[in-house]
Structure formats: C-alpha cells, structure tokens
Amino acid sequence: MTVSPWRPSRLTRAQQEERRLAAQPALNDPSRTTLDLAQQFGVAEVTIRAWRARLRRDGEEALRASRATGRPERLTAAQQDEIGAILDGDPRAQGFDTHGWTIPKIRQVIGMKYGVWLDRAHLSRKLRRWGFSYQRPAVRAVERNEDDIATWVRVQGEALGKKGR
C-alpha cells in the first residue's frame, strides 16, 4: 500500500492534532504495521505505539489536543490596562525626574505598584505584546528655535553661494 507521507515543514499544535486525527483510522487497522504508519505520518514508531495505546485506553477522544496552559500571568488584564494608561502619561507624574519611559522606569512602576518585578528582557516582550514599540526621541535642545535656524540657514547659504561664484 503506497500512501503519500505527511510532512509539513513546521508543526503547530493544531497541525499535530490534525496529524493524529488523520492517523486515527489507520491506527485502528490491524493490518498496518507500526513502521508503515510511522513513515506515512512522519513520526517515530514509538509514537505510533503510544497513539495506539491511548486509543485503546481512552477511546475516540484520546488523540485530540489538550489545552496548553503555560505559566499563569502575574498581572491581571485590569492591571495591564492600568499600566498602559500610566505609560500613556508622563513619567514625571510617577515621580521620575525626566520625561521618556525606559524599561527600568516601567519595571520600577510595576514593581512598586503591583509587587511584580519582571525581568527586563521579559518586560520588553510584554510591552510589544501590549502594543507598545521602542521609540527613540529626537535629540534636540530644549532651547531650539526653528525660526532662528531657518534664518541662519538662509543667510549662511547665501554667503556660501557668493563665495562659490
């Protein structure tokens, strides 16, 4: 029996479940060998044996994906919204001397307000997930006067133009 192999380039959890469910009818066929099934579905023979054991033990739902819980969030959704509102404001309102948010400032605000001290790299990833992006402020003097600059450029440009002729 020649069957095309199942070989996606990358398997998500949904694809893994799809592969297991696609294999289910073949797993119930006693004439199919473990090696044959392993080659068809792109898994090891031990995986085929495990799938067959799960089917015998738990029935039809045995090969469905389980929920991937992961580590629980340390900040609630409401706290994350509050942090977003704080970051939309000025850091000086939180007691800092300068404007512009930095990771250490954000980390300190979260730590002091909620008692959750996040790692700097992890906080960067969380901020991106919450919709914030890295912004580098333009370096300009506070005393900068656009009118004076335009006048200087015009006058100096004319002076340079006369020299070149």
Side-chain angles (χ1 to χ4, degrees):
M1 176 188 261
T2 306
V3 180
S4 62
W6 173 283
R7 302 221 191 266
S9 61
R10 188 163 242 226
L11 294 174
T12 64
R13 286 183 60 80
Q15 288 173 324
Q16 289 173 356
E17 179 184 28
E18 182 182 349
R19 176 173 60 181
R20 287 191 304 271
L21 295 177
Q24 189 167 346
L27 292 169
N28 291 327
D29 183 0
S31 66
R32 301 286 304 271
T33 66
T34 304
L35 178 61
D36 177 38
L37 291 171
Q39 288 173 344
Q40 178 183 349
F41 293 101
V43 296
E45 289 182 68
V46 68
T47 303
I48 296 296
R49 287 191 289 274
W51 288 353
R52 281 183 162 161
R54 283 169 60 184
L55 272 172
R56 279 193 303 274
R57 185 182 65 238
D58 300 328
E60 294 289 317
E61 293 297 310
L63 300 181
R64 293 230 175 258
S66 59
R67 184 170 173 257
T69 58
R71 188 175 196 163
E73 282 282 346
R74 293 170 64 192
L75 294 167
T76 66
Q79 289 172 331
Q80 292 173 21
D81 291 341
E82 286 178 33
I83 292 167
I86 290 170
L87 296 182
D88 286 336
D90 193 330
R92 290 177 285 201
Q94 299 297 319
F96 295 104
D97 295 333
T98 59
H99 69 285
W101 285 105
T102 62
I103 295 295
K105 287 179 185 178
I106 297 168
R107 183 176 182 269
Q108 184 175 348
V109 167
I110 293 171
M112 297 301 286
K113 188 166 177 89
Y114 303 109
V116 176
W117 295 91
L118 300 171
D119 179 76
R120 292 174 65 164
H122 183 64
L123 181 56
S124 289
R125 289 189 298 273
K126 278 197 165 301
L127 289 170
R128 273 194 299 279
R129 195 176 329 134
W130 295 342
F132 290 95
S133 63
Y134 179 73
Q135 307 280 318
R136 182 180 297 263
V139 180
R140 293 196 174 132
V142 176
E143 303 85 12
R144 183 179 171 106
N145 185 327
E146 297 298 330
D147 294 334
D148 287 348
I149 292 170
T151 303
W152 183 88
V153 168
R154 185 175 36 79
V155 169
Q156 292 301 320
E158 290 172 1
L160 289 173
K162 288 179 184 174
K163 267 189 187 178
R165 288 188 185 169

